[in-house]
């Protein structure tokens, strides 16, 4: 019923079917089913964003030698270039868990969410499929700033000051994780010089 109502109200105006569901999350939030199951809008938004990550082009992998060429004093001025498939999503309902259970048989349960709980999600595509990872709000906020082009030194100084319980080792752990996961494709510094 929900999809049929959506298709009646939102006829395709694009040559590709990939654009057809663009307004679906907003439509779901105002539909009677969306009011009965308020997590539907967040779930459909997650599904939509996963599909758009599949169609996004990926950049070549980060050359590991780049990291070794950056002097310690240059890291503060560095900017990270992320893969175009990287997307940050904040949702009011814990739909990531529901999305992971999508292929389980109905008798397995867990098809409904009873309570709202915000989630900060990281989406990106690897060689095979789109990954959906729940991360902490501090990491999400830091990653958002870095992804928007802020220099590492400024972002990490701000993070360590505003987040009293976050230490430098944890922030460095985030950076290592982003590199290992293939999120970062280039590192730009005003001056990258080889170590002597």
């Amino acid at each position: 019923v929900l999809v049929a109502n959506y298709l009646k109200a939102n006829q395709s105006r694009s040559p590709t079917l990939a654009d057809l569901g663009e307004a679906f999350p907003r439509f779901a939030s105002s539909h009677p089913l969306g009011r009965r199951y308020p997590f539907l809008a967040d779930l459909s938004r997650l599904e939509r964003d996963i599909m758009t990550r599949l169609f996004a082009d990926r950049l070549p992998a980060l050359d590991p030698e780049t990291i070794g060429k950056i002097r310690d004093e240059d890291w503060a001025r560095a900017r990270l270039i992320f893969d175009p498939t990287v997307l940050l999503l904040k949702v009011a309902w814990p739909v990531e868990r529901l999305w992971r259970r999508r292929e389980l048989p109905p008798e397995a349960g867990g098809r409904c969410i009873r309570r709202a709980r915000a989630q900060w999600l990281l989406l990106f595509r690897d060689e095979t499929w789109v990954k959906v990872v729940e991360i902490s709000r501090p990491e999400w906020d830091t990653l958002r700033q870095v992804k928007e082009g802020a220099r590492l030194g400024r972002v990490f100084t701000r993070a360590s000051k505003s987040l009293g319980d976050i230490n430098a080792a944890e922030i460095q752990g985030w950076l290592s994780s982003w590199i290992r996961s293939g999120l970062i494709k280039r590192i730009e510094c005003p001056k990258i010089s080889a170590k002597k």
Side-chain angles (χ1 to χ4, degrees):
V1 173
L2 176 62
V3 173
N5 290 163
Y6 174 76
L7 291 174
K8 276 186 189 175
N10 296 272
Q11 294 179 0
S12 178
R13 292 176 169 74
S14 168
T16 174
L17 283 176
D19 296 331
L20 184 57
E22 188 174 359
F24 189 78
R26 192 170 47 255
F27 181 84
S29 67
S30 61
H31 191 274
L33 271 178
R35 289 192 290 274
R36 182 174 175 191
Y37 302 106
F39 60 85
L40 276 181
D42 278 349
L43 182 60
S44 59
R45 186 173 163 208
L46 175 60
E47 286 275 354
R48 169 85 182 147
D49 287 339
I50 288 168
M51 289 301 113
T52 60
R53 300 305 88 199
L54 282 174
F55 292 114
D57 291 329
R58 294 177 71 223
L59 292 175
L62 174 69
D63 180 357
E65 290 185 14
T66 302
I67 297 170
K69 292 178 182 176
I70 301 173
R71 299 180 307 176
D72 291 344
E73 58 267 29
D74 290 337
W75 276 104
R77 296 191 302 275
R79 285 191 175 150
L80 306 181
I81 308 303
F82 286 83
D83 192 78
T85 68
V86 174
L87 180 73
L88 293 166
L89 177 64
K90 179 184 180 285
V91 290
W93 293 81
V95 292
E96 179 266 347
R97 176 180 57 86
L98 199 61
W99 180 78
R100 287 194 187 285
R101 299 179 62 86
R102 70 195 179 283
E103 293 179 3
L104 293 178
E107 56 271 17
R111 299 293 176 119
C112 192
I113 302 173
R114 304 277 180 226
R115 275 179 250 130
R117 178 180 64 80
Q119 279 190 316
W120 288 266
L121 302 176
L122 164 64
L123 283 66
F124 64 97
R125 194 174 92 226
D126 63 10
E127 296 81 18
T128 55
W129 188 245
V130 177
K131 304 290 184 195
V132 180
V133 182
E134 182 178 8
I135 60 177
S136 69
R137 182 175 184 175
E139 181 179 359
W140 192 94
D141 286 335
T142 303
L143 182 53
R144 179 185 52 79
Q145 292 173 55
V146 175
K147 188 173 177 291
E148 289 172 357
R151 297 194 187 281
L152 286 182
R154 177 181 293 178
V155 172
F156 289 166
T157 299
R158 190 181 305 151
S160 60
K161 283 182 181 173
S162 65
L163 307 164
D165 56 343
I166 303 293
N167 60 38
E170 189 165 358
I171 294 172
Q172 287 175 344
W174 295 343
L175 180 57
S176 296
S177 170
W178 303 341
I179 292 171
R180 274 193 319 274
S181 299
L183 276 59
I184 299 168
K185 298 301 186 177
R186 278 197 331 269
I187 302 173
E188 294 181 348
C189 290
K191 184 168 107 185
I192 298 180
S193 359
K195 290 181 176 175
K196 296 186 181 176

